[in-house]
Amino acid sequence: MEATGFVHKYPDNVDTDVIIPARYLNTPNAKELAAHCMEDIDPEFINKVKEGDIMVGGANFGCGSSREHAPLAIKTAGISCVIAATFARIFYRNSINIGLPILECPAASAAIQAGDEVKVDFDTGVITDITTGETFQAQPFPPFIQNIIRDGGLMSSIKK
Amino acid sequence: MGMTMTQKILAAHAGLEKVEAGQLINARLDEVLGNDITTPVAVNEFEKAGFDSVFDNTRINIVLDHFVPNKDIKAAQQSKQCRDFANKYGIVNFFDVGEMGIEHALLPEKGIVTAGDCIIGADSHTCTYGAVGAFSTGVGSTDMAAGMATGQCWFKVPAAIRIVLTGKLQPMVSGKDLILHIIGKIGVDGALYKSMEFSGPGVASLSMDDRLSVCNMAIEAGAKNGIFPVDDTTVAYLTGRSQRPWTVYEADEDAVYDQTIEINLDELEPTVSWPHLPENTKPASAGADVKIDQVVIGSCTNGRLEDMEAAWKILKGKHIAKGIRAIIIPATMAIYRECLVRGWTTDLIDAGCVVSTPTCGPCLGGYMGILAEGERCVSTTNRNFVGRMGHVKSEVYLASPATAAASALTGYITDPRTV
């Protein structure tokens, strides 16, 4: 499985309140949530984002509230993959559970710039910055988590 | 190599003799929790996957607390979806308006969570219950859905940071000041993926309300959970309250910790987190020039009886500064009632405050105290992120109830020892 897209870049400690502000949490509707994705940190994001684009954050991406609405909004906005130096733990498991691909890679997080075209190979964990020609190796998921991803998320996995 | 307290609870719930940091396990759950924001997403996932029964209708807790009494039509729809689900599956611990409280104040108060438990909640502050000696952690809605269906959850066994407390808490210094101090010291990802295990002779000086406040904010350092040893204070709290028998787990003598931090409680000062991260801590005394517009005293962090008492002691017989809005929110109906019975509510109203029924409302910028552009609030809540309580250009300063009450009196951030 692969993804290729252009990068939206964010700093360290992006919290789930800026990914989807709580004033919009009066609905579980993914499309309504996606319309406000990143609104408090990058109001132009939702106008700029194209299907397949890639989000790159720094350390502790997705910290704060447990709201699953956050990865759901990012996924529904069209983002194909989130790369970060580290993820906050609830965001990490929420992304796996709902099938939003994420990769931890401090080197890629530091080097990749906004607007770069990036290719991600989920099977090998290799991240290629097509714009600069640099490649990076992300931590592969343990087999236990790979199974959840392969089954299409947690609910499909436990149904099996 | 021994196990930490957290690792022992996880091993017991996974049916294993021993676990170690990094190991992936499936564990049996004692309680599963959701609120009016996270439960609808969980219900959708539960139904989409085709489940038609829950693992145990006495072990699922659904608390309407974030946007109730319903703040708007959409919030009303979400509450209704929770209510319908609870009725359909006979969820015993469903708490609607009139009997609800803020979830993390309500579940310990009712003795639903107890020592030795393994608990997940679709709310990041579920880590609060470590105060009673439980392993308890925040998850997302899909985890809640899976937990309701199967009674199990997957975990990566956490490594741990040991926090050794010496000395004792001084007057006007509380558990909130302690946890803000710790987050200031290690940063908002200083305990990422790890347990925060408290120990040492200083633990005895922390009341149960202090411990609940400390564990509540473990997540703000990225921790998976915070946990206190079970001592006389815990047993006194659980006796006559815990709905189930409890189990005491203790860390092994040779348990391995990634880091040990020693804190002398004697030296701890009233502490405030400046915007826009909980790690931006300074002594309250550094805020004398910071003019404020609003004070909020409440939330899952600081809406308990001792918090109300701390605010009342400072505000009774006085009046808040002109131009300040002071919003007091007791965290459960029992606390709300107790404040009335003791006459504190009257004194707080006479001091110029408003007193609301329980809600998470302003903490997450939901309703009941939203900030306009450029406004500043001293709040006993847990997060001061950009836009957390309203406009993206508003500011939240996190503090203890005593510091918040003192600041309401002066209109500036104020060390409570000076009023």
Side-chain angles (χ1 to χ4, degrees):
Chain A
M1 205 170 79
E2 280 185 4
T4 305
F6 292 93
V7 166
H8 303 261
K9 177 102 192 249
Y10 297 102
D12 289 346
N13 301 317
V14 169
D15 61 76
T16 54
D17 274 275
V18 295
I19 296 173
I20 180 70
R23 59 186 177 274
Y24 302 119
L25 296 186
N26 53 6
T27 175
N29 182 292
K31 285 212 172 89
E32 284 185 56
L33 294 167
H36 301 289
C37 188
M38 312 306 281
E39 189 171 289
D40 284 359
I41 188 174
D42 182 6
E44 281 306 303
F45 168 78
I46 203 64
N47 300 321
K48 292 183 302 192
V49 67
K50 300 271 190 300
E51 191 69 31
D53 278 0
I54 288 169
M55 194 175 273
V56 177
N60 201 26
F61 187 91
C63 62
S65 160
S66 68
R67 62 191 70 162
E68 200 165 291
H69 312 66
L72 196 61
I74 290 173
K75 188 182 173 189
T76 310
I79 293 292
S80 62
C81 174
V82 185
I83 300 165
T86 54
F87 289 94
R89 55 162 290 277
I90 305 177
F91 186 92
Y92 180 93
R93 57 186 299 144
N94 283 349
S95 299
I96 291 162
N97 287 346
I98 69 161
L100 170 68
I102 57 169
L103 289 171
E104 275 194 346
C105 184
S109 159
I112 294 172
Q113 297 300 314
D116 286 3
E117 188 178 19
V118 165
K119 187 172 92 173
V120 178
D121 184 324
F122 296 112
D123 298 323
T124 61
V126 172
I127 300 166
T128 308
D129 188 330
I130 297 169
T131 307
T132 64
E134 279 185 280
T135 62
F136 310 92
Q137 179 67 53
Q139 293 281 345
F141 284 115
F144 180 90
I145 292 175
Q146 279 180 20
N147 286 340
I148 296 177
I149 296 169
R150 198 172 306 121
D151 291 340
L154 182 66
M155 294 310 279
S156 326
S157 186
I158 62 168
K159 260 295 186 186
K160 287 173 81 175
Chain B
M1 191 170 77
M3 290 190 281
T4 66
M5 187 173 169
T6 297
Q7 290 166 355
K8 280 195 168 171
I9 297 175
L10 286 172
H13 285 79
L16 298 168
E17 280 290 310
K18 188 160 172 51
V19 296
E20 54 186 55
Q23 189 176 344
L24 286 155
I25 57 164
N26 251 318
R28 180 179 58 76
L29 300 170
D30 293 300
E31 299 288 342
V32 177
L33 164 71
N35 59 51
D36 50 319
I37 288 179
T38 58
T39 303
V41 178
V43 167
N44 291 347
E45 288 298 318
F46 184 90
E47 289 174 347
K48 206 165 70 188
F51 286 103
D52 55 10
S53 64
V54 296
F55 86 103
D56 185 342
N57 68 343
T58 66
R59 301 295 186 106
I60 294 167
N61 303 270
I62 299 174
V63 186
L64 308 187
D65 60 1
H66 277 59
F67 292 161
V68 303
N70 300 324
K71 81 181 180 92
D72 56 28
I73 295 169
K74 284 181 168 179
Q77 290 297 131
Q78 296 203 128
S79 290
K80 185 169 185 292
Q81 191 181 358
C82 296
R83 199 175 292 122
D84 290 347
F85 181 85
N87 287 337
K88 182 173 177 184
Y89 292 99
I91 304 300
V92 175
N93 291 330
F94 170 65
F95 298 102
D96 208 331
V97 172
E99 54 187 3
M100 54 69 72
I102 296 175
E103 50 197 327
H104 309 309
L106 188 69
L107 266 54
E109 177 186 284
K110 290 198 172 293
I112 291 169
V113 293
T114 198
D117 276 0
C118 177
I119 304 157
I120 60 165
D123 187 280
S124 60
H125 294 110
T126 303
C127 51
T128 307
Y129 317 136
V132 297
F135 168 78
S136 187
T137 193
V139 295
S141 296
T142 299
D143 280 315
M144 180 194 177
M148 290 196 298
T150 65
Q152 295 194 358
C153 187
W154 68 269
F155 296 105
K156 187 159 91 174
V157 176
I161 295 178
R162 177 170 52 177
I163 299 176
V164 181
L165 305 177
T166 59
K168 58 179 188 181
L169 283 178
Q170 299 298 302
M172 298 286 184
V173 181
S174 68
K176 180 65 166 288
D177 299 295
L178 170 60
I179 190 64
L180 292 180
H181 175 78
I182 292 168
I183 297 164
K185 209 176 166 84
I186 67 174
V188 291
D189 61 352
L192 197 60
Y193 309 129
K194 295 177 187 175
S195 301
M196 232 184 228
E197 300 216 344
F198 293 87
S199 63
V203 166
S205 79
L206 270 66
S207 68
M208 186 49 67
D209 283 2
D210 283 322
R211 298 176 194 193
L212 288 160
S213 178
V214 168
C215 287
N216 175 271
M217 285 190 73
I219 176 71
E220 310 312 334
K224 184 172 207 136
N225 66 314
I227 196 163
F228 276 86
V230 175
D231 65 3
D232 293 348
T233 301
T234 323
V235 171
Y237 182 81
L238 293 177
T239 302
R241 181 190 302 270
S242 177
Q243 296 185 10
R244 289 180 280 109
W246 64 85
T247 311
V248 177
Y249 293 90
E250 287 176 2
D252 288 325
E253 289 283 326
D254 59 344
V256 177
Y257 301 93
D258 281 3
Q259 188 185 355
T260 295
I261 298 169
E262 289 189 24
I263 295 173
N264 182 350
L265 297 173
D266 292 337
E267 294 168 0
L268 207 60
E269 285 193 81
T271 302
V272 174
S273 292
W274 258 245
H276 288 284
L277 282 176
E279 70 185 22
N280 297 334
T281 53
K282 295 180 194 177
S285 54
D289 295 333
V290 180
K291 192 174 183 337
I292 60 167
D293 304 282
Q294 178 170 296
V295 163
V296 170
I297 300 174
S299 83
C300 61
T301 315
N302 281 126
R304 298 184 184 83
L305 199 62
E306 282 183 13
D307 302 318
M308 297 297 118
E309 184 175 29
W312 169 75
K313 278 184 173 165
I314 287 172
L315 292 166
K316 67 175 171 181
K318 296 181 178 166
H319 202 279
I320 61 171
K322 193 166 172 53
I324 299 294
R325 293 111 51 185
I327 302 163
I328 316 270
I329 311 179
T332 68
M333 288 309 293
I335 298 166
Y336 181 83
R337 188 178 185 284
E338 194 62 28
C339 289
L340 281 169
V341 169
R342 296 187 185 200
W344 298 352
T345 303
T346 310
D347 290 338
L348 290 168
I349 290 170
D350 289 346
C353 306
V354 293
V355 183
S356 164
T357 55
T359 176
C360 307
C363 171
L364 73 165
Y367 71 125
M368 283 295 291
I370 304 301
L371 299 173
E373 182 174 359
E375 288 191 329
R376 295 194 182 114
C377 179
V378 173
S379 181
T380 69
T381 53
N382 41 57
R383 292 192 174 125
N384 55 356
F385 300 151
V386 169
R388 174 76 179 179
M389 199 177 273
H391 196 280
V392 290
K393 287 182 179 159
S394 62
E395 295 182 348
V396 176
Y397 295 76
L398 304 176
S400 71
T403 301
S407 304
L409 284 181
T410 63
Y412 293 84
I413 293 175
T414 300
D415 185 326
R417 296 171 301 187
T418 64
V419 296

